[in-house]
Amino acid sequence: MASTVRGLYYADKGAGRSVHEISAQLLRAAEIFRVDPGADALKHIPAAVPPEQTPNVYRDISAYILDWGSFSLEGKYGQVQMTSHEIALRFPRFSQFLPIYFGQDGVAIDDDMQFASIEESISMIIEEVHPLCMWNLPGLAAESYEALALFQNDEDAMDRFFSQVFSGGSGAADFVDFFPLLAQSIIDHLATAHPPVWPKRD
């Protein structure tokens, strides 16, 4: 659990869900488990074994999440290896984007696109997003570069993670080529089709 909580803090720093929000939701779930264990709101929330311990377990997890911030650097980062779940928290957009477009039966590799180049597939994706590009694409470009940095351009590691954990893919290209191309295509499109976010000074 330590690596997952570390991932939550990383996501929080990157404008993801606040760890305080997550902690509060766990406390709320604990209370619902205590009052009405069969509530519909708990349908997809796992229970502890034995089930009657669930409220206490959720309260303990909630407290641990908040306490983690006060741990020593060694306690936070020195003793626990990164897990696939922790890494997945760094790529909320790719967790949806890669399976939808490049997973099995993905939109970018279906029968209509089977002879398309990877550049054409990326262009198709950008066209689908347009005109809401400024609210959807910059984050994908950022995650592309984060993937390259985190996996240090290791194609095998990226393939194992994004293909197996996310059930995604990169079309006919290697991830080490796909991610820079995706990011640059996004940047080029934004520069061409959308005005600058900050107007120039006179």
Side-chain angles (χ1 to χ4, degrees):
M1 185 171 67
S3 64
T4 297
V5 173
R6 185 171 59 192
L8 293 176
Y9 271 81
Y10 184 88
D12 187 341
K13 290 180 181 178
R17 294 177 63 203
S18 163
V19 292
H20 295 279
E21 175 190 357
I22 295 169
S23 178
Q25 288 177 334
L26 286 168
L27 290 178
R28 176 59 178 156
E31 183 61 16
I32 297 175
F33 266 112
R34 185 186 69 81
V35 175
D36 184 9
D40 288 342
L42 303 175
K43 187 178 298 183
H44 301 294
I45 300 178
V49 178
E52 57 268 22
Q53 287 298 315
T54 302
N56 290 334
V57 170
Y58 274 67
R59 292 188 192 101
D60 289 345
I61 295 173
S62 174
Y64 179 79
I65 289 173
L66 296 183
D67 290 344
W68 190 89
S70 64
F71 292 175
S72 67
L73 288 177
E74 176 65 18
K76 292 177 182 178
Y77 302 104
Q79 300 176 358
V80 181
Q81 288 188 329
M82 296 182 76
T83 64
S84 59
H85 189 256
E86 178 182 357
I87 295 172
L89 291 169
R90 293 173 175 247
F91 301 102
R93 295 170 182 84
F94 275 164
S95 67
Q96 301 178 56
F97 169 82
L98 291 177
I100 290 173
Y101 286 102
F102 292 98
Q104 186 175 5
D105 300 322
V107 176
I109 56 173
D110 65 10
D111 291 343
D112 293 337
M113 298 291 292
Q114 61 179 320
F115 298 114
S117 66
I118 192 63
E119 290 87 354
E120 290 170 332
S121 295
I122 291 174
S123 294
M124 180 271 293
I125 293 166
I126 292 175
E127 288 173 7
E128 283 196 351
V129 173
H130 190 78
L132 301 178
C133 305
M134 294 298 291
W135 291 269
N136 292 282
L137 296 181
L140 280 178
E143 288 187 15
S144 297
Y145 287 121
E146 175 144 8
L148 293 170
L150 183 65
F151 291 100
Q152 301 163 22
N153 286 332
D154 185 330
E155 175 63 28
D156 180 65
M158 287 190 286
D159 182 61
R160 282 187 285 111
F161 179 77
F162 290 108
S163 296
Q164 296 178 22
V165 177
F166 280 176
S167 299
S170 54
D174 289 338
F175 281 103
V176 72
D177 299 318
F178 172 73
F179 285 141
L181 182 59
L182 174 62
Q184 191 59 53
S185 298
I186 289 171
I187 293 169
D188 291 344
H189 171 77
L190 295 178
T192 301
H194 300 273
V197 176
W198 301 111
K200 295 180 180 179
R201 293 182 179 273
D202 295 333

